[in-house]
Every structure is written in structure tokens, then in C-alpha cells.
Amino acid sequence: MIETLNRDCFCVSLDNDALRRALEADPAAHGLQRMIEERCPHLFASLPVFVSREHVEGMARVIQAIEAVVALPAYREAALAWAPQIARHDPGAAGAFIGYDFHLGADGPRLIEINTNAGGALLNAVLARAQRACCEEIERLVSGPVPAPDLERALFDMFVSEWRRGGRSGLPRRVAIVDDAPAQQYLYPEFVLFAQLFRRMGVEAAVRAPEELAFADGVLRDAKGALDLVYNRLTDFAFAAPVHAALRAAYLAGAAVVTPHPRAHAQYADKRNLSLLTDETLLRAWGVRAEVVATLLRGVPRTELVTRAAADRLWFGRRKLFFKPAAGHGSRAAYRGDKLTRRVWDEILEGQYVAQALVPPSERRIGPETALKVDVRNYVYEGKVQQLAARLYQGQTTNMRTAGGGFAPVLTTPAFATDRAAERASRTRQEAPVAA
């Protein structure tokens, strides 16, 4: 009875003292929680989201189906055909933090989009350790494939795997977490946490802006010396901006392992690829197995390219569509069709957009009269789900600006335990104030 838990269960909540201890375990992180409270007060939700085991397994099946198609040479060539030239460079590394985002409904999970620099994994690992439960049934729920105490090590091991897939041995000596104006980014606290994680594992690490990097004599450097690995948080997915020239040159020369990278974005996160994954005729022509095609058509909303030729049909059918830019990120410039104006529609026709069948999100009640929308992110590496997290929000898209919203742990369980917890939640019907 997952719907009952999400409607009535307020018996699990965020333990702020435990969160502070988890965030500030490293003495160098003293004050990090205060930074979060001041700069991004709606980063963490106070309540978890309950997801049925059936939905968890359904999302995994969709992910496995997509991975099977991405492995096909025909798909890769089609995806690279509309990608920038840099995407044809294969660095060997798989690409860290592939994020598969789903809406959950009565007819099963539906994939909304895929991202290749999906933020929040380490923040959610910390959040998972700061939850409290008031009954035995809730305490038995699990948060994902990797137990919460082991998540940070699993994330570090992913970077080690990227390092070795890039043709290296041992461990990198120095790592840079790179983004434009990093200290001004909303998820800057996570950059700090990643630097601390690397250092705890014996790897020197720092947060850097791209203009702090230089490439000369085959070496990528910052002011302190050579850099071996870059954890890339840039949203310039092709490293096309002049300020990213040093990183671009080092990446193409193989001078540093960069992850995630342009090729991963081209293969997974360009929204136009969703049109390939929902084209039954094309999938069958590529030799995709019938059961994989069926999983994709059921689990990925129908998506098509926005073209002038289809403009009239898409405009008149817009109320059942969601429009997204091909290389979009963070829900920027994405529009529900029923909210479109003619001015915005003209801008969409001038750009590179896709139209996706509208899939309403599920909801999580955070108070007696307040419910927020939910999407569920699967953090995936090499085709395997590492971690589940939810985002609670109001409005058209996820925004991390909603009181009571933000990242939330996902809790799931075998059916018999879920039914017992739901029965208890329905019986007690505890009322909790809306989270601040």
C-alpha cells in the first residue's frame, strides 16, 4: 500500500543533528550545514518517499532495456549523428553518474529523461544516514541496492573504475571537481563533500573553475601541479566555450581522465535520443529483441523531434505534451504544453526541441493538506543501479525551491512488510507540520 504510506505516513523524518554530523564529519567541513541552510534551504526534504518493489524493479527493467540498445553500433551511430564532433572521441571511461529520472503511476514507471552529470548522489548518501524511524516496520525498509553505510565507498570505487577504464593503474594522485563559478553553484556543498571524500580515500582533491586549468606539454595542471582526473560538473557538454579550451585539449589528448564526458552525454542525455528509444519500427530494424522493444514502449513516453513540418499537429496537441530542449539540463527552458504561449512556441520552433507525451508525477503528502510532486532518480554506473533518490517539488519541473521539498530518500520493501507498515500508518494517521 505504497499510496497509503505516501499519503499518511509521517513517522520517518530528517534528524537534523545526524545530518549535521554526517555533513561535518571532516573537520574541514565545519559550517557546511549552515551554508546549506543559508544558500539552499530547500535542498533536503524532511520526509522520505515510499516506492513499491514492483516500481523499483520496473525502473531497473527500463534501464536494462536502454543499456541494451545503447550498446548497439546502429544506435550509437544514430546518436552521434546529431552530436558535436567531440562526442566521437572514445576515452574508454564509461561516464560517472548516469541519472535515469522517472515518474511513477498506476501503469508503472515512465522514464522522463536521462542525465549524464546527475547531481546529488553524495548529498543523498549523507541524507540516507540522517533518517529516523519510530516503528520497527519502517526501520526494516531499504533505500536501494547499496546499503547507506557503503554508498560513499561505492561512489569512490566508481571513480577508480573510471580511472582504470581510462587505461591507468593504481589510484589518481590529484583530482579536480570542475564547474563554472563553482562556489556560486546551487550544489556547491556537494563539490566540497566530494573533495573531502577523495581526500579520505588518500587522493588529493580540490574544487576548481575551468579558468584555473592549463594544458601544456601534455599535462593538465592547476596552480598546485598536475591533475590526473577531472570530475566534470560542467553543463557545456561539448567543452565548446573558450574558457573550457584547456579541459577540451587535455580530454582529447588523453592527458587526464574526464568523467562524465561528451561521448556519454551524446549517447545518453541528448533528449533527441528518446525519439530513437520510442521508435518501434527503427528498434525492430536494428534487431532489438521483442521483449526489450515492449519494455521501452511501455516505460518511455513517446517522444518525437519538433519540426516545422509537424508544428501544426504538435501545437494543437500540446496539452498532452511536454517540450524539452535537446541539450537541456536542470529543467531549463522545458515547458508543459498547456502552459505554452505563442511567443514561447515560436522560440521552440527556432531551437532544437523534442515533444514528449505528458506523464503526470505521483505525489507525496508532507502535511494534512499539502502534497508535493515526486520524481525518482536512479543513479546508474555501467548499467547497474547504485542508488535511488527522490525529488519533491511544486510547479512544472523539479526546482529545489519548494518549502518541504528537495532531495528525499527512497524507501522500498518486500510486499509483506510494506502492507504491515501501511496498515500501521493508516491506523495512526499522524499529522506533521509542513517542513520549512
Side-chain angles (χ1 to χ4, degrees), residues 49-310:
V49 170
F50 299 96
V51 176
S52 71
R53 175 62 58 182
E54 181 182 7
H55 275 162
V56 169
E57 293 173 354
M59 289 186 289
R61 285 193 295 272
V62 174
I63 291 166
Q64 290 164 6
I66 292 172
E67 293 285 346
V69 174
V70 170
L72 297 175
Y75 168 87
R76 293 189 176 189
E77 193 58 36
L80 292 174
W82 48 44
Q85 183 62 34
I86 193 173
R88 293 193 173 271
H89 173 68
D90 186 351
F97 295 118
I98 307 295
Y100 287 79
D101 296 341
F102 288 85
H103 284 176
L104 307 181
D107 57 349
R110 308 292 298 281
L111 178 79
I112 303 305
E113 62 185 34
I114 307 173
N115 294 286
T116 48
N117 61 349
L122 188 50
L123 289 167
N124 281 294
V126 172
L127 181 62
R129 302 203 308 271
Q131 301 298 306
R132 62 184 174 215
C134 66
C135 63
E136 182 181 347
E137 289 90 341
I138 297 297
E139 287 178 344
R140 286 202 296 264
L141 300 181
V142 297
S143 58
V146 180
D150 301 329
L151 270 171
E152 292 187 5
R153 180 74 206 198
L155 298 182
F156 175 76
D157 288 345
M158 174 181 58
F159 283 101
V160 175
S161 177
E162 289 291 271
W163 173 249
R164 293 176 180 170
R165 286 185 63 123
R168 276 69 167 182
S169 60
L171 296 178
R173 291 165 298 176
R174 298 191 67 233
V175 172
I177 299 107
V178 176
D179 202 352
D180 292 313
Q184 299 175 31
Q185 298 295 331
Y186 189 79
L187 292 185
Y188 174 69
E190 184 172 54
F191 302 173
V192 175
L193 289 173
F194 267 111
Q196 293 166 3
L197 173 61
F198 282 117
R199 288 195 289 265
R200 286 202 306 275
M201 299 298 179
V203 177
E204 186 180 344
V207 180
R208 294 286 184 255
E211 57 266 27
E212 296 180 83
L213 309 181
F215 179 63
D217 300 323
V219 178
L220 183 67
R221 300 177 180 275
D222 64 6
K224 293 189 175 181
L227 293 165
D228 303 308
L229 185 146
V230 171
Y231 173 24
N232 169 37
R233 297 291 293 246
L234 295 167
T235 54
D236 173 9
F237 302 112
F239 304 151
V243 73
H244 303 146
L247 181 60
R248 177 187 178 94
Y251 168 70
L252 291 173
V257 172
V258 178
T259 186
H261 48 70
R263 187 176 179 87
H265 181 270
Q267 293 180 166
Y268 287 94
D270 189 308
K271 305 300 185 292
R272 291 171 291 191
N273 296 344
L274 296 172
S275 69
L276 305 176
L277 295 171
T278 56
D279 186 330
E280 182 176 4
T281 301
L282 187 60
L283 292 170
R284 293 189 182 280
W286 287 344
V288 178
R289 299 194 314 274
E291 60 269 26
V292 173
V293 173
T295 297
L296 291 172
L297 298 182
R298 183 170 56 249
V300 184
R302 172 69 179 172
T303 306
E304 64 175 296
L305 306 183
V306 175
T307 64
R308 290 280 180 183

Side-chain angles (χ1 to χ4, degrees), residues 365-423:
R365 203 171 76 167
I366 63 170
E369 299 178 355
T370 305
L372 298 181
K373 299 173 183 177
V374 177
D375 77 358
V376 175
R377 171 166 287 176
N378 290 244
Y379 293 93
V380 176
Y381 181 62
E382 294 184 318
K384 297 179 181 178
V385 178
Q386 295 175 298
Q387 184 181 7
L388 298 169
R391 293 178 293 180
L392 303 180
Y393 64 100
Q394 287 177 332
Q396 290 192 60
T397 57
T398 53
N399 50 45
M400 296 297 179
R401 301 292 194 276
T402 301
F407 285 121
V410 166
L411 297 180
T412 187
T413 184
F416 75 90
T418 301
D419 291 343
R420 290 178 60 192
E423 181 181 353

